[in-house]
């Protein structure tokens, strides 16, 4: 992969990059953009606390946010950005200034260089660290018209600025013609009917097993055109209705074919045990974890993000694009499975907020869908996968060849030079 390095020269350029880092336009949020040296290495988004909450609540939240940042190896600097619906005109000073000051103090006490602290409000933007910030803030057009918007999109293969969705409407909403949905529904019902018949017909089941091989389809799916054909979507959709296939395909999307083969073999073994013992899959897995079976532990560790091995980011991005189309084409009753896959894959990228959006959609369709319930518990706990905090191999072996470095954004060497001098003055004055 030859990543695009986008350099920000001014504060408004940096603010134009933050939604690109997150993958969506943040609203009512506190975002911590982490740096190793001059380059970003992550962005953490949290819900903005209620305005007027007690200082005790603000301090507790700020301490938690600083603690999360401490988990990312090598981070030495940060830019917190507050997104709020409040107005510069009605605020005394900059909106949400009290919380920002407490957060800034906690971050500095934790040893991070505070490159800046910014606010994007409903009517303007500004810096909490700029004593010369206008009373009404700077115009939001500064951000919208920043040239880095075009640069970032060209790096993604598009020539025009690609609007990002919010957490409420999801990123990159997908539109599908009703006729396409109807054709897909007919093919999907036919596959479901064939599978139901095959359960009582071993020859037919064997034939369908070859045609609907979950390992082969998972791998092929990453090469399908966008949008995929109705036949391909129907095959994938009918497979993921089975929880074992769903999890295997999801993990394979993230970690590659070998992991899919391993998961598929495990699923086959559990299916045989279920048939022989009459016990549930949950009981069998729980028993093997209790006795320390490494196979069960390995699968559970992946699902819970308890390993440091990083998934394949490019595969996940392709899978997310595919699954968004699958969800848009699918009958409503068949959507919880791919929505949960979208949630887990988003969470695997460290995008817990986006994952929560997909989980909520799944639960709105089927409130007792077990994977959605488990994912909601996972997300509500604030847990992120351990690989989200691991240093990518390219960063470990950093060199002067930008084409060999992992994808990120960096501040230009002359990043608003006067503003950079203000950094030094403010740091000296604290």
């Amino acid at each position: 992969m030859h990543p695009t390095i986008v350099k920000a020269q001014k504060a408004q350029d940096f603010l134009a990059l933050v939604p690109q880092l997150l993958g969506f336009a943040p609203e009512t949020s506190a975002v911590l953009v982490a740096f190793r040296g001059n380059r970003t290495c992550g962005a953490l988004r949290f819900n903005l606390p209620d305005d007027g909450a007690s200082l005790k609540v603000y301090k507790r939240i700020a301490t938690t946010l600083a603690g999360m940042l401490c988990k990312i190896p090598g981070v030495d600097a940060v830019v917190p950005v507050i997104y709020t619906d409040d107005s510069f005109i009605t605020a005394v000073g900059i909106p949400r200034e009290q919380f920002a000051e407490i957060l800034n103090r906690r971050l500095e006490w934790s040893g991070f260089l505070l490159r800046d602290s910014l606010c994007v409000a409903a009517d303007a933007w500004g810096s909490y660290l700029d004593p010369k910030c206008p009373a009404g803030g700077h115009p939001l057009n500064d951000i919208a018209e920043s040239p880095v918007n075009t640069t970032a999109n060209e790096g993604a293969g598009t020539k025009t600025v690609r609007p990002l969705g919010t957490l409420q409407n999801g990123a990159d909403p997908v539109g599908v013609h009703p006729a396409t949905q109807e054709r897909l529904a007919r093919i999907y019902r036919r596959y479901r009917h064939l599978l139901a018949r095959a359960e009582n017909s071993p020859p037919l089941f064997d034939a369908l097993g070859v045609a609907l091989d979950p390992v082969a389809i998972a791998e092929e799916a990453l090469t399908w055109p966008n949008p995929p054909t109705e036949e391909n979507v129907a095959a994938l959709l009918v497979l993921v209705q089975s929880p074992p296939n769903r999890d295997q395909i999801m993990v394979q999307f993230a970690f590659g074919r070998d992991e899919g083969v391993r998961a598929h073999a495990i699923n086959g073994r559990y299916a045989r045990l279920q048939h022989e013992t009459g016990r549930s899959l949950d009981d069998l897995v729980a028993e093997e974890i209790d006795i320390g079976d490494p196979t069960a532990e390995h699968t559970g560790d992946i699902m819970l993000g308890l390993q440091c091995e990083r998934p394949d980011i490019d595969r996940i991005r392709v899978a997310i694009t595919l699954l968004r189309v699958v969800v848009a084409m699918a009958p409503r009753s068949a959507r919880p499975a791919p929505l949960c896959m979208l949630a887990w894959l988003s969470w695997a990228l460290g995008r817990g907020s986006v994952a929560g959006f997909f989980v909520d959609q799944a639960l709105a369709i089927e409130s007792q869908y077990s994977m959605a319930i488990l994912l909601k518990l996972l997300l509500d706990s604030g847990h992120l996968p351990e690989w989200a905090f691991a240093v990518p191999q390219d960063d470990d072996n950093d060199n002067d060849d930008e084409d060999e470095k992992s994808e990120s954004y960096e501040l230009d060497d002359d990043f608003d030079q006067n503003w950079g001098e203000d950094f030094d003055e403010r740091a000296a004055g604290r």
Side-chain angles (χ1 to χ4, degrees), residues 108-167:
E108 289 185 316
W109 285 351
S110 298
F112 299 110
L113 169 65
L114 200 65
R115 291 189 179 276
D116 203 348
S117 180
L118 302 168
C119 173
V120 179
D123 53 358
W125 70 271
S127 169
Y128 294 107
L129 303 185
D130 182 8
K132 298 179 182 179
C133 181
H138 301 285
L140 293 176
N141 279 345
D142 290 349
I143 303 171
E145 296 172 1
S146 169
V148 301
N149 285 309
T150 302
T151 304
N153 281 274
E154 287 176 348
T158 59
K159 294 184 178 180
T160 58
V161 175
R162 177 173 55 90
L164 294 174
T166 67
L167 288 179

Side-chain angles (χ1 to χ4, degrees), residues 273-301:
L273 287 173
Q274 284 181 275
H275 178 73
E276 293 168 1
T277 65
R279 300 173 63 189
S280 71
L281 177 62
D282 289 343
D283 287 343
L284 292 169
V285 174
E287 180 182 274
E288 292 192 350
I289 291 176
D290 286 341
I291 64 176
D293 182 279
T295 300
E297 289 181 351
H298 175 80
T299 304
D301 285 352

Side-chain angles (χ1 to χ4, degrees), residues 14 31-35 77-81 113-118:
F14 178 79
V31 177
L32 302 183
V33 182
F35 287 82
V78 60
V79 176
V81 185
L113 169 65
L114 200 65
R115 291 189 179 276
D116 203 348
S117 180
L118 302 168

Side-chain angles (χ1 to χ4, degrees), residues 37 49 71 85 99 125 142 145 149 173 223-224 253 264 266 272 303 327 360 397 416 418 430:
K71 291 189 65 178
D85 293 332
F99 174 67
W125 70 271
D142 290 349
E145 296 172 1
N149 285 309
T223 68
W224 289 344
F253 280 162
H264 185 56
I266 293 170
R272 289 191 297 274
M303 298 292 289
V327 168
D360 288 344
N397 301 304
D416 197 342
N418 294 330
R430 282 189 174 269

Side-chain angles (χ1 to χ4, degrees), residues 256-272:
R257 187 180 186 280
D258 288 347
E259 196 60 57
V261 170
R262 182 207 297 259
H264 185 56
I266 293 170
N267 290 342
R269 185 169 66 85
Y270 282 137
R272 289 191 297 274

